Amino acid sequence: MTRDKKDLQIIEIKQLLSDNSVVYLTDASGLNSEDTTDFRRACFKKDVRMKIVKNTLLRKAMDETEGTDYSDLYEVLSGQTALLLGNVGNEPAKLLKDFRKKHDIPVLKAAYVEEACYLGDNQIDVLTEVMSKDELIASVIALLQSPMKNVVGALNSSGNTVSGLVKALQE
């Protein structure tokens, strides 16, 4: 591969890293072509981008990406690496878990989700439970709204009772 092609690939990988807040590093080296195609289709359906990359080019792209520190992921950059990219933190983990019901691979090497690093395949269960920022905000808002709705409901129902009592006393 010429230097120009390598530079273009580094730029492409940098762009992918910048555009996606969720990065999973997996090893799918044991999948045959049919299983790889099935996995790519499953990724496409879940809006997860899959890209096989060279470790040296990925590391250079990670080094050059501004505003994000991927240094904790460097130790797993060996062997074949497939990137799973997306914007929902737990979607690639759920995808991997579902796919691994039929296959033993791909193996999770590491993940970078919402500025946190998860190393090792044993983290897959934790990652399936991770909520995105939007999901967290929605759950906090729902928690805050619930007591307010109860208070408003109580005020509305007791208001009708009080007004009915006042009317009855007036008559």
Side-chain angles (χ1 to χ4, degrees):
M1 183 182 290
T2 66
R3 184 76 210 142
D4 291 336
K5 286 183 181 179
K6 287 180 182 179
D7 289 340
L8 287 173
Q9 284 213 341
I10 290 171
I11 291 169
E12 179 187 356
I13 296 169
K14 266 178 41 178
Q15 189 63 44
L16 287 171
L17 293 173
S18 299
D19 292 346
N20 297 283
S21 61
V22 176
V23 178
Y24 280 62
L25 304 176
T26 63
D27 181 3
S29 58
L31 289 177
N32 61 29
S33 62
E34 182 181 339
D35 293 337
T36 303
T37 302
D38 290 343
F39 187 64
R40 285 182 186 272
R41 283 188 186 128
C43 288
F44 182 76
K45 288 178 185 174
K46 298 289 186 178
D47 199 27
V48 173
R49 174 110 191 250
M50 180 185 173
K51 180 160 182 68
I52 307 290
V53 293
K54 290 186 64 115
N55 291 318
T56 53
L57 300 180
L58 176 59
R59 184 175 177 139
K60 286 181 183 180
M62 287 177 164
D63 283 339
E64 294 176 11
T65 302
E66 295 177 14
T68 308
D69 181 21
Y70 293 109
S71 59
D72 292 338
L73 303 178
Y74 294 163
E75 65 187 72
V76 299
L77 293 179
S78 62
Q80 185 193 46
T81 300
L83 284 177
L84 299 180
L85 303 153
N87 288 310
V88 179
N90 60 4
E91 199 62 45
K94 289 178 181 177
L95 177 73
L96 284 170
K97 201 168 184 177
D98 286 343
F99 192 77
R100 285 171 38 174
K101 289 178 183 174
K102 296 178 185 174
H103 311 281
D104 293 337
I105 42 183
V107 175
L108 178 67
K109 292 180 174 184
Y112 182 84
V113 179
E114 304 290 342
E115 300 177 8
C117 289
Y118 300 86
L119 298 174
D121 194 54
N122 60 343
Q123 298 292 317
I124 198 154
D125 290 327
V126 173
L127 286 165
T128 57
E129 302 299 322
V130 170
M131 286 197 261
S132 69
K133 286 182 183 178
D134 293 338
E135 290 172 330
L136 283 173
I137 290 169
S139 66
V140 168
I141 289 173
L143 286 172
L144 292 174
Q145 282 182 341
S146 180
M148 287 188 277
K149 287 180 180 177
N150 291 340
V151 170
V152 170
L155 289 174
N156 283 338
S157 67
S158 65
N160 292 336
T161 307
V162 172
S163 67
L165 181 62
V166 170
K167 256 187 178 175
L169 289 174
Q170 184 183 20
E171 292 173 359

PDB file of all heavy atoms in Angstrom, residues 33 83 114 130 166:
ATOM      1  N   SER A  33     -16.783 -16.143   5.062  1.00  0.00           N
ATOM      2  CA  SER A  33     -17.343 -15.050   4.266  1.00  0.00           C
ATOM      3  C   SER A  33     -18.865 -14.949   4.415  1.00  0.00           C
ATOM      4  O   SER A  33     -19.419 -13.852   4.473  1.00  0.00           O
ATOM      5  CB  SER A  33     -16.966 -15.208   2.795  1.00  0.00           C
ATOM      6  OG  SER A  33     -17.502 -16.410   2.280  1.00  0.00           O
ATOM      7  N   LEU A  83     -13.873  -2.423  13.288  1.00  0.00           N
ATOM      8  CA  LEU A  83     -14.521  -1.320  14.002  1.00  0.00           C
ATOM      9  C   LEU A  83     -16.027  -1.442  13.859  1.00  0.00           C
ATOM     10  O   LEU A  83     -16.535  -1.697  12.765  1.00  0.00           O
ATOM     11  CB  LEU A  83     -14.110   0.026  13.393  1.00  0.00           C
ATOM     12  CG  LEU A  83     -12.749   0.582  13.696  1.00  0.00           C
ATOM     13  CD1 LEU A  83     -12.558   1.876  12.920  1.00  0.00           C
ATOM     14  CD2 LEU A  83     -12.568   0.831  15.158  1.00  0.00           C
ATOM     15  N   GLU A 114     -19.353   7.012  25.119  1.00  0.00           N
ATOM     16  CA  GLU A 114     -19.630   8.206  25.918  1.00  0.00           C
ATOM     17  C   GLU A 114     -18.428   8.588  26.793  1.00  0.00           C
ATOM     18  O   GLU A 114     -18.559   8.812  27.991  1.00  0.00           O
ATOM     19  CB  GLU A 114     -20.870   7.986  26.788  1.00  0.00           C
ATOM     20  CG  GLU A 114     -22.116   7.587  26.038  1.00  0.00           C
ATOM     21  CD  GLU A 114     -22.719   8.688  25.191  1.00  0.00           C
ATOM     22  OE1 GLU A 114     -22.401   9.878  25.412  1.00  0.00           O
ATOM     23  OE2 GLU A 114     -23.499   8.353  24.288  1.00  0.00           O
ATOM     24  N   VAL A 130     -25.676  -0.096  29.092  1.00  0.00           N
ATOM     25  CA  VAL A 130     -25.306   1.316  29.031  1.00  0.00           C
ATOM     26  C   VAL A 130     -26.381   2.101  28.286  1.00  0.00           C
ATOM     27  O   VAL A 130     -26.834   1.691  27.217  1.00  0.00           O
ATOM     28  CB  VAL A 130     -23.938   1.497  28.329  1.00  0.00           C
ATOM     29  CG1 VAL A 130     -23.647   2.953  28.031  1.00  0.00           C
ATOM     30  CG2 VAL A 130     -22.835   0.911  29.176  1.00  0.00           C
ATOM     31  N   VAL A 166     -68.150  23.906  48.810  1.00  0.00           N
ATOM     32  CA  VAL A 166     -68.466  25.331  48.952  1.00  0.00           C
ATOM     33  C   VAL A 166     -69.817  25.633  48.306  1.00  0.00           C
ATOM     34  O   VAL A 166     -70.658  26.373  48.867  1.00  0.00           O
ATOM     35  CB  VAL A 166     -67.353  26.205  48.333  1.00  0.00           C
ATOM     36  CG1 VAL A 166     -67.751  27.657  48.247  1.00  0.00           C
ATOM     37  CG2 VAL A 166     -66.076  26.056  49.144  1.00  0.00           C
TER      38      VAL A 166
END
